[in-house]
Amino acid sequence: MTPGRPVPPPLAKPIEPAADLPASGADGLLAAARGAVSPDSGLVPLTVARRAPKTDDVEIAIEFCGLCHSDVHAARGEWGGQTYPLIPGHEIVGRVSRVGAGVTDFAVGDRVGVGCIVDSCRECESCLDGLEQYCENGMTGTYGATDRRNGDAMTQGGYSSSIVVDRRYVLRIPDALDPAAAAPLLCAGVTTYSPLRHFDVEEGDVVGVVGLGGLGHMAVKLAKAMGARVVVFTTSESKVAAALELGADEVVLSRDADAMAGANRTIDVIIDTVAAPHDLNGLFRTLRVDGALFQLGLPSGEMPPVNPRTLIRRRVAYAGSLIGGIAETQEMLDFCAEHGVLADIEVVGAHQLDEAYDRMVAGDVKYRFVLDAGTLQSPAKEADA
């Protein structure tokens, strides 16, 4: 293993801000959508105005959009400072319906995807290194963000019938991937793939996965596809059979002191997907010398303090990781196609979104919900967003 593997070549290069904004509504689309109009509104039918494709734009007719737990937080105003109306969704798969005059790498009919990023500055060191998610001037999220190249409009996401995105932030969905099950790869997939590749996981390595939800089940599948032995850490006996079914080689009940002691110095890298406060010190003790724990889950409250001795005694690293850049996301999609890796999903209709949100909060999904965009209502004659 070689921590710090160079990232793939960047897809986005510096360009001048586009000056070919079309007149409002000129050849743009009104798209059907579901979104929130207040923190407690639930997800209601909306109509969103999509811009006409500019020179470098790709217009996509959306087929499927994954539901991410961050969508729930945003729609319900749990992260504060939210602007409404808000149309969530950043795990988008669909077909190209139109392209701008300067687009040569995508054509009408291509199956494509859009993840969490629809723009970045394209000029900072992070962007030039293919790390748009760490853009030093702030990447533009797929929804709920100010779109600085498009009149400071608020970005609206994939719970809709169409979207328009600059080609630099559009991904190719390989034909080998089922489009519905591929949608969560654009967030959950790359979020777990990126730290595994950064740590250069390979055959013979041992990967620990903490938590077995939407992120955790992808971490198990990806680590196995990389040739690693996978150990799942869980507090719930009910997750043991599910972890083994996904391909885990071993399951450790983290509340069992003897089981945790038996795992001492056995793990090379841990992918921690838990979004609730939890004590990391026991997990650090399972790492070998030069091991690392990557924090992917964002806890809602304060975490118990880390004892520095658990890090120092084995030169252990505690790291974070945020989604992935565009080139790395494409690399992940191609890897998944080659190795037959897909998310385990439950497809829902537009009328089931509020129920799906409640079930996500309750942990009642194996392992990701995906919206069938074909179930959206027809757009109204005037836009709500």
Side-chain angles (χ1 to χ4, degrees):
M1 292 179 297
T2 308
R5 181 189 67 91
V7 298
L11 187 63
K13 294 291 187 180
I15 64 167
E16 293 299 317
D20 57 342
L21 277 169
S24 178
D27 298 319
L29 285 180
L30 289 177
R34 287 267 177 156
V37 295
S38 71
D40 57 0
S41 69
L43 295 168
V44 300
L46 295 171
T47 296
V48 58
R50 298 300 191 187
R51 69 178 183 266
K54 300 188 298 180
T55 299
D56 287 331
D57 279 344
V58 175
E59 181 184 81
I60 302 164
I62 297 174
E63 298 173 297
F64 299 100
C65 185
L67 277 60
C68 179
H69 211 117
S70 60
D71 298 348
V72 180
H73 293 306
R76 295 181 174 178
E78 293 169 353
W79 284 341
Q82 190 60 66
T83 300
Y84 295 94
L86 176 75
I87 298 166
H90 56 209
E91 299 176 346
I92 301 166
V93 171
R95 296 277 190 182
V96 175
S97 53
R98 279 194 296 178
V99 298
V103 177
T104 59
D105 41 355
F106 296 102
V108 172
D110 288 350
R111 177 163 277 139
V112 296
V114 177
C116 303
I117 309 171
V118 294
D119 202 359
S120 60
C121 81
R122 313 180 195 177
E123 298 176 347
C124 70
E125 184 175 350
S126 292
C127 285
L128 296 179
D129 283 343
L131 297 169
E132 296 93 344
Q133 74 273 34
Y134 302 123
C135 176
E136 293 154 34
N137 295 299
M139 63 100 166
T140 302
T142 306
Y143 66 85
T146 300
D147 192 346
R148 289 167 289 191
R149 291 181 205 268
N150 292 285
D152 287 341
M154 189 64 60
T155 58
Q156 302 289 359
Y159 296 5
S160 57
S161 56
S162 72
I163 194 168
V164 178
V165 178
D166 186 289
R167 66 169 184 79
R168 296 164 183 81
Y169 303 86
V170 177
L171 291 309
R172 292 192 174 277
I173 304 297
D175 291 339
L177 296 179
D178 174 82
L185 300 180
L186 295 161
C187 177
V190 73
T191 295
T192 46
Y193 180 88
S194 186
L196 292 169
R197 289 294 282 126
H198 183 75
F199 209 77
D200 206 17
V201 167
E202 58 190 3
E203 187 173 357
D205 293 335
V206 181
V207 172
V209 177
V210 185
L212 201 65
L215 289 175
H217 96 287
M218 288 306 312
V220 171
K221 291 187 175 194
L222 288 165
K224 286 297 294 182
M226 292 174 180
R229 173 178 169 81
V230 177
V231 179
V232 170
F233 292 88
T234 179
T235 60
S236 174
E237 290 189 28
S238 65
K239 296 288 183 72
V240 173
L244 296 173
E245 183 180 344
L246 285 168
D249 298 284
E250 182 182 349
V251 183
V252 174
L253 292 172
S254 54
R255 291 179 177 173
D256 184 331
D258 291 338
M260 290 296 288
N264 185 44
R265 292 180 182 265
T266 63
I267 309 293
D268 293 298
V269 58
I270 292 173
I271 305 297
D272 189 339
T273 70
V274 174
H278 56 291
D279 193 341
L280 298 175
N281 293 292
L283 293 168
F284 286 132
R285 286 190 283 272
T286 70
L287 288 169
R288 294 171 173 159
V289 172
D290 285 333
L293 187 152
F294 281 92
Q295 188 73 49
L296 303 186
L298 187 60
S300 55
E302 293 294 322
M303 292 278 281
V306 170
N307 184 345
R309 290 185 179 85
T310 62
L311 307 180
I312 292 170
R313 286 175 176 171
R314 299 177 195 175
R315 200 161 59 189
V316 164
Y318 179 34
S321 186
L322 175 68
I323 50 174
I326 300 301
E328 190 169 50
T329 303
Q330 188 64 62
E331 178 185 285
M332 176 274 306
L333 289 167
D334 296 340
F335 177 89
C336 288
E338 180 182 353
H339 294 274
V341 176
L342 287 165
D344 287 9
I345 64 167
E346 180 179 336
V347 177
V348 297
H351 66 286
Q352 298 172 292
L353 285 171
D354 286 323
E355 177 188 355
Y357 271 25
D358 290 339
R359 286 179 56 191
M360 273 198 287
V361 172
D364 179 24
V365 55
K366 290 180 65 174
Y367 287 92
R368 298 286 283 200
F369 287 116
V370 173
L371 169 66
D372 177 355
T375 64
L376 292 163
Q377 80 291 343
S378 298
K381 293 182 179 180
E382 294 185 2
D384 303 293

